[in-house]
Amino acid sequence: DTGNSIAAAAINRKLEINLKLNESIFSNQQNYRQVLQNCASMFSPKSSLYDYLKHEFTHFAEYQYAIKSNTANGVLNEEKAWDEIGRGVYAQKLMEEALSSCGLPYDESIIEKMIGTYATENVSEAVAEAVSSTKHNALCDTIKRLVQKKWK
């Protein structure tokens, strides 16, 4: 269930990844336009559906990176990958590197100011919000670059 969201990235215990779209938004063009025009202020600014989907696909990139990182000799350690996805291990490492690269301390108030309120939910959301944001500042741009370099 996507609730009031446009879309949601999902992964299950078998590490199967899927994208859930909010049918009530996509089945009605007026609803779709209204959602895009009235983006909640807690989210980083987005200019199009593409930006919302970029957010969800950033979660996919994190999941795939965790799966790849926990595969040795063709054997996936599902339990470890699941645990590290749940704890946001790779998002945490990426965020720490981005903040350090920008000469910033790891501080939620800085993350909120530079990315957005929703970015303080957890570090995976912070990375996805930075990548999907139309904001251009040192932190968002560094996170975008690191995701491209490390997770793609």
Side-chain angles (χ1 to χ4, degrees):
D1 181 33
T2 60
N4 291 330
S5 299
I6 289 179
I11 187 166
N12 64 26
R13 291 282 299 173
K14 294 179 184 177
L15 303 178
E16 298 167 331
I17 299 169
N18 66 64
L19 178 67
K20 297 178 182 184
L21 301 175
N22 187 324
E23 289 182 39
S24 68
I25 293 172
F26 285 99
S27 63
N28 182 315
Q29 194 172 31
Q30 185 177 357
N31 286 352
Y32 167 72
R33 284 193 178 125
Q34 185 176 0
V35 167
L36 288 179
Q37 290 171 352
N38 299 306
C39 176
S41 62
M42 72 180 290
F43 298 111
S44 64
K46 295 171 181 49
S47 62
S48 67
L49 174 61
Y50 176 70
D51 292 334
Y52 283 95
L53 293 177
K54 234 186 331 188
H55 174 106
E56 302 309 330
F57 282 105
T58 300
H59 289 305
F60 287 171
E62 179 185 2
Y63 303 158
Q64 291 288 13
Y65 185 80
I67 290 167
K68 180 181 171 187
S69 296
N70 286 287
T71 301
N73 300 319
V75 178
L76 169 62
N77 184 337
E78 288 182 29
E79 202 58 41
K80 188 171 182 222
W82 176 257
D83 176 65
E84 289 181 346
I85 289 167
R87 291 187 300 119
V89 168
Y90 300 103
Q92 182 73 37
K93 288 178 182 178
L94 193 134
M95 180 61 74
E96 288 171 359
E97 184 176 342
L99 287 163
S100 175
S101 175
C102 293
L104 298 168
Y106 199 107
D107 184 292
E108 277 201 4
S109 65
I110 290 171
I111 292 169
E112 182 174 11
K113 179 182 176 190
M114 296 187 81
I115 302 172
T117 303
Y118 191 60
T120 63
E121 286 289 312
N122 63 59
V123 70
S124 293
E125 294 300 346
V127 170
E129 281 292 283
V131 169
S132 64
S133 178
T134 57
K135 282 185 180 180
H136 288 285
N137 59 47
L139 183 57
C140 286
D141 292 346
T142 300
I143 290 170
K144 289 172 186 176
R145 183 179 47 76
L146 288 172
V147 165
Q148 275 297 114
K149 179 181 172 185
K150 295 177 178 281
W151 291 359
K152 302 274 172 139

